[in-house]
Amino acid sequence: MSNIIIRFKKSVVILFFVLMVISAVAFLFVDVNYNMQDYLPEDAESTVGLDVMDEEFSSGVTNTNVMIENVTIQEAIDYKQEIESLDGVTEVLWLDDVVDLREPIEVADTDTVENYYKDNKALLAVTIESGKEVEATDQIYELIGEENAISGEAANTATQQKMAGSETMYAAALLIPIIVIILVLSTNSWLEPVFFLTAIGVSVLINLGTNIFVGEVSFITQSVAPILQLAVSLDYAIFLLHSFQDYRNRGNRPEEAMKLAMKESFPVVSASALTTFFGFTALMFMDFGIGADLGLSLVKGILLSFISVMVFLPALTLLFYPLIDKTQHKSLIPSFKGVGKKLIKLRIPVFILIALVIVPSFLAQSSTEFTYGMGEQPENTRLGSDINQIEEIFGESTSVVLLVPNNDIGKEQEMIQEIDTIDHVTSVVGYANMVGSTIPQDYLEENVTEQFLSENYSRIIINTDVGAEGDVPFSLVEEVRNVASSYYGDEALTLGESVALYDMKETVTADNKLVNILTIVTIAIVLLFSFRSISIPVVLLLTIQSAVWINLSVPYFTDTSLVFVGYLIVSTVQLAATVDYAILLTETYKQNRKDMAALPAIKKTIDDKLFSIAVSASILSSVGFILWLTSSNPIVGSIGLLLGRGALLAFILVITLLPALLVIGDKLIWKTTLGTRVYKEEKHEDN
């Protein structure tokens, strides 16, 4: 294979660049989905309910609140009619839909009125068509002006769509120079980093382009996957090119040096890629579709990066290696010789410290307070400011939509009366109670009845004074479902933002256990065959998993909530991406252990590999922290912070805890490892 690549190097380079250009064009036609609810399982009640309502009713679930200040009731109705006429708006509900405004407003139910009109401020419940969030919200903003406010799911989606492209470019603009600086410091050529980034950059673009065959990707995948692929797989290119330079320094001709480098790199890069590959594959088994979406993109990315490094990079290097020679520079980083001796002295204190914190960290990371939606919007954004503005006047509010068979108005009215007594329910609006007690049936216009009745179902809107997620909103969803089920059984369907988030919580909580088990088991199997050892996989996984638990416990100890999607993804990604550090150190230790005792072997290993591990960790950590700093999306920002902190923690434990475990468990490790010859004269160790 290496002979073919070297012989047809020009053709290989041209082929990859052609694929890159085609993929870059294809990428422009990949749709991005910003709706988290679309990734819930098809059998989730909120998903089933949404499908039924789409079939039965012309309008969807209310997904936007619009607050207009200093208006009379008639002026609010005028605004309502103007908003209803906008492209992308399918329905606007307001006070005139639930109260007969021909009668004095003072005689109407106060709680019902104040859900929609309070202190001369009107709160309109708007339904915006999926896919038209940006256009519709822009038109609403233009209509209501700067002093008024918008909030809700559609506003969240529109904001993320607007920010996603610019924030990705901003993150890349910050990240690439930082990576270049790190790579320049880690090499002896000014041009070598360009080869690294070109090899992985080509695979990233091809990966993005091949998403056209998937159809669409989530906004999380679009924001996170390319940068994560770059950070995780850059090591493959670094290892191959460093190996190539080593063989050239020994006097081998470039072609021969590349053959030897490819042969030496293949098993190491393969093992590294496999652990990451299987770790990311675990995400694809999630019922929550975001995991499968991101997992597929990352699995493709790792595979394409591996192919690019083993096929494209050798051909590219052999074509342009004279440029590397012409841009050589002296090493810019001092030698790490002697660091191993200092670090290994910490083995007992480190071992004791981790033993003390590991159990509390494990318990804390599973007790963190989670959010399941987009998380809190930053207050310095228009959306964040609008949300606060609306909540100051009308408080937190969300609506639950209930669909029930429309064959028994008496039973429906009885159920509505029971739901109305549930804590935090401020009003219940349905055809049955409007006919029964609020508005005489003769006064109801056809367009009003269409809002609440279809051929088979009756639609009931339950207004509450709580937010979309949390213990109280989720408890309320359960109560509404229980009451509805007692009247209609499985025929009753609930939907809405809080219902979707409740279903999301139930789904991802179950996913968490499955994904973590699959990740650990698959990586353990790869390590088992790579090292032919029972104990080494345990040592490596214990080291990295400790870093994961400590990382994910920080939000609990700092009393901050954590976006669960970020938690779920990072708990997998951190393990899959940083176990490579442990593999590199352990493999080197294994080789050194053949010729020297445990302590000298681990000291030499740390001296030799500390810098390489530091380079990898600093790149991954930089990626994470830059995502955190540049993204206004709480989910992407959460993933970034956890990833950045996790990479640092993994680095620290790999150079402190892992050496301690390898030395302390040295005898057991080699007794449980097949086919490994080790140096026996440990009585001559230098303590």
Side-chain angles (χ1 to χ4, degrees):
M1 185 65 180
S2 60
N3 289 327
I4 296 173
I5 294 169
I6 292 169
R7 182 181 175 186
F8 297 102
K9 53 184 176 290
K10 286 186 180 179
S11 300
V12 169
V13 170
I14 292 170
L15 174 63
F16 271 81
F17 275 118
V18 169
L19 289 173
M20 180 191 73
V21 172
I22 294 172
S23 298
V25 174
F27 166 66
L28 300 175
F29 297 94
V30 176
D31 292 328
V32 180
N33 191 332
Y34 294 85
N35 189 346
M36 296 273 283
Q37 188 171 348
D38 286 349
Y39 294 95
L40 281 169
E42 292 183 1
D43 59 352
E45 184 174 320
S46 56
T47 304
V48 174
L50 192 59
D51 291 339
V52 169
M53 196 167 74
D54 286 343
E55 291 176 6
E56 296 278 336
F57 294 89
S58 59
S59 60
V61 181
T62 298
N63 54 18
T64 309
N65 290 320
V66 178
M67 187 180 77
I68 304 167
E69 300 192 8
N70 301 317
V71 288
T72 63
I73 288 177
Q74 184 55 50
E75 287 171 337
I77 292 174
D78 292 340
Y79 270 110
K80 172 190 172 183
Q81 292 171 347
E82 288 188 70
I83 292 173
E84 274 181 321
S85 68
L86 298 176
D87 183 39
V89 175
T90 60
E91 182 180 45
V92 182
L93 293 176
W94 193 59
L95 187 62
D96 58 323
D97 293 306
V98 297
V99 170
D100 185 1
L101 294 180
R102 289 171 293 188
E103 297 181 1
I105 197 170
E106 290 78 15
V107 303
D109 179 71
T110 302
D111 289 338
T112 300
V113 171
E114 291 189 348
N115 281 329
Y116 299 95
Y117 189 65
K118 186 177 182 181
D119 299 333
N120 293 323
K121 297 175 178 64
L123 186 67
L124 285 69
V126 181
T127 303
I128 293 177
E129 185 181 342
S130 178
K132 294 188 176 181
E133 292 88 355
V134 172
E135 297 88 341
T137 53
D138 282 347
Q139 292 177 79
I140 294 172
Y141 272 128
E142 187 176 345
L143 176 65
I144 66 176
E146 291 291 325
E147 68 277 9
N148 298 310
I150 302 177
S151 68
E153 283 184 280
N156 283 342
T157 300
T159 299
Q160 298 313 318
Q161 282 186 255
K162 290 178 184 177
M163 299 300 292
S166 60
E167 288 183 351
T168 300
M169 294 297 293
Y170 183 39
L174 286 176
L175 183 62
I176 291 175
I178 290 174
I179 290 179
V180 169
I181 291 170
I182 293 170
L183 293 176
V184 165
L185 293 174
S186 67
T187 63
N188 293 319
S189 169
W190 298 108
L191 200 59
E192 211 170 324
V194 176
F195 284 74
F196 300 150
L197 290 173
T198 300
I200 304 303
V202 164
S203 67
V204 168
L205 282 172
I206 293 174
N207 189 29
L208 289 171
T210 55
N211 284 334
I212 197 168
F213 298 110
V214 179
E216 69 175 17
V217 296
S218 70
F219 68 95
I220 294 176
T221 297
Q222 186 81 332
S223 301
V224 173
I227 298 178
L228 205 54
Q229 180 189 342
L230 174 68
V232 170
S233 58
L234 205 54
D235 290 352
Y236 311 162
I238 294 172
F239 193 90
L240 178 88
L241 219 51
H242 280 186
S243 182
F244 169 68
Q245 292 289 38
D246 287 342
Y247 280 113
R248 285 194 66 206
N249 292 337
R250 298 176 194 175
N252 292 287
R253 292 182 302 104
E255 289 78 8
E256 188 62 30
M258 184 55 75
K259 288 181 186 178
L260 293 169
M262 291 173 70
K263 183 179 179 181
E264 179 183 67
S265 301
F266 185 82
V268 179
V269 174
S270 297
S272 179
L274 277 174
T275 54
T276 312
F277 179 92
F278 284 117
F280 291 157
T281 300
L283 289 170
M284 297 173 64
F285 287 88
M286 288 173 60
D287 280 338
F288 186 49
I290 290 283
D293 187 76
L294 179 61
L296 176 60
S297 184
L298 290 173
V299 163
K300 282 198 297 109
I302 293 300
L303 183 60
L304 288 167
S305 291
F306 177 76
I307 293 171
S308 180
V309 167
M310 300 310 299
V311 179
F312 172 65
L313 183 56
L316 181 71
T317 303
L318 288 175
L319 279 178
F320 298 104
Y321 73 86
L323 295 176
I324 296 178
D325 293 344
K326 291 177 182 178
T327 56
Q328 293 289 315
H329 63 75
K330 293 182 179 179
S331 177
L332 302 175
I333 297 292
S335 170
F336 281 85
K337 189 172 179 61
V339 174
K341 183 177 181 180
K342 295 177 181 177
L343 284 176
I344 200 60
K345 288 181 179 179
L346 301 173
R347 63 187 185 278
I348 301 301
V350 166
F351 182 80
I352 294 172
L353 177 63
I354 298 301
L356 290 174
V357 303
I358 192 65
V359 173
S361 295
F362 172 76
L363 296 174
Q365 59 90 32
S366 59
S367 303
T368 298
E369 182 180 339
F370 295 109
T371 58
Y372 296 88
M374 295 295 294
E376 291 186 11
Q377 294 294 327
E379 291 186 13
N380 60 350
T381 63
R382 171 71 190 266
L383 179 59
S385 173
D386 281 5
I387 291 171
N388 289 338
Q389 188 177 341
I390 291 173
E391 288 184 356
E392 282 179 10
I393 304 302
F394 290 95
E396 286 190 302
S397 65
T398 191
S399 297
V400 174
V401 177
L402 176 61
L403 300 178
V404 297
N406 63 3
N407 52 15
D408 189 337
I409 289 181
K411 183 164 69 170
E412 181 182 328
Q413 187 164 15
E414 185 180 341
M415 180 192 68
I416 286 175
Q417 290 172 348
E418 186 172 345
I419 289 174
D420 202 23
T421 63
I422 296 174
D423 287 344
H424 301 290
V425 170
T426 55
S427 66
V428 185
V429 182
Y431 183 80
N433 65 330
M434 287 175 66
V435 171
S437 59
T438 308
I439 305 174
Q441 186 174 5
D442 295 341
Y443 293 146
L444 288 171
E445 298 176 2
E446 184 179 352
N447 66 333
V448 174
T449 60
E450 285 178 351
Q451 293 175 359
F452 300 104
L453 288 179
S454 71
E455 183 179 351
N456 301 300
Y457 282 88
S458 179
R459 182 171 69 166
I460 300 161
I461 298 173
I462 303 163
N463 295 309
T464 75
D465 60 6
V466 294
E469 65 175 304
D471 292 341
V472 175
F474 290 158
S475 175
L476 193 150
V477 169
E478 289 177 347
E479 286 191 70
V480 169
R481 281 182 169 176
N482 288 337
V483 171
S485 179
S486 69
Y487 283 88
Y488 294 95
D490 293 339
E491 292 182 295
L493 299 169
T494 52
L495 58 155
E497 185 179 5
S498 59
V499 178
L501 291 173
Y502 176 86
D503 287 343
M504 197 178 297
K505 174 191 174 184
E506 296 296 297
T507 302
V508 296
T509 302
D511 281 341
N512 185 41
K513 297 175 183 176
L514 174 65
V515 169
N516 282 337
I517 291 171
L518 281 175
T519 304
I520 292 171
V521 169
T522 52
I523 291 177
I525 291 171
V526 173
L527 295 175
L528 181 68
F529 284 100
S530 297
F531 288 98
R532 294 191 296 173
S533 171
I534 296 174
S535 55
I536 289 179
V538 174
V539 170
L540 269 57
L541 287 171
L542 178 61
T543 301
I544 302 301
Q545 196 61 54
S546 296
V548 172
W549 289 334
I550 293 170
N551 182 26
L552 297 176
S553 70
V554 172
Y556 175 83
F557 290 116
T558 56
D559 195 26
T560 55
S561 61
L562 182 60
V563 179
F564 193 88
V565 175
Y567 164 85
L568 181 59
I569 290 171
V570 170
S571 63
T572 301
V573 169
Q574 184 184 337
L575 176 59
T578 61
V579 73
D580 292 350
Y581 312 161
I583 291 172
L584 178 59
L585 187 133
T586 305
E587 181 61 39
T588 306
Y589 173 70
K590 182 180 174 183
Q591 297 304 318
N592 289 335
R593 192 65 180 82
K594 294 177 181 178
D595 303 314
M596 57 187 76
L599 277 176
I602 200 66
K603 290 173 187 176
K604 186 177 188 309
T605 299
I606 296 172
D607 287 349
D608 291 345
K609 296 301 175 184
L610 177 61
F611 182 60
S612 298
I613 296 171
V615 169
S616 298
S618 60
I619 290 172
L620 186 57
S621 186
S622 297
V623 165
F625 286 128
I626 286 173
L627 280 174
W628 172 51
L629 291 170
T630 59
S631 181
S632 63
N633 185 306
I635 294 178
V636 176
S638 175
I639 291 171
L641 176 59
L642 290 171
L643 190 62
R645 189 171 61 216
L648 281 181
L649 285 166
F651 168 70
I652 292 169
L653 292 195
V654 165
I655 65 170
T656 56
L657 176 62
L658 180 56
L661 293 174
L662 290 174
V663 172
I664 293 171
D666 184 76
K667 290 183 179 180
L668 177 62
I669 287 171
W670 304 126
K671 284 180 181 178
T672 55
T673 302
L674 295 176
T676 301
R677 176 186 60 82
V678 294
Y679 183 77
K680 295 293 186 182
E681 299 180 20
E682 296 190 9
K683 60 183 179 180
H684 297 298
E685 288 182 22
D686 178 17
N687 293 308

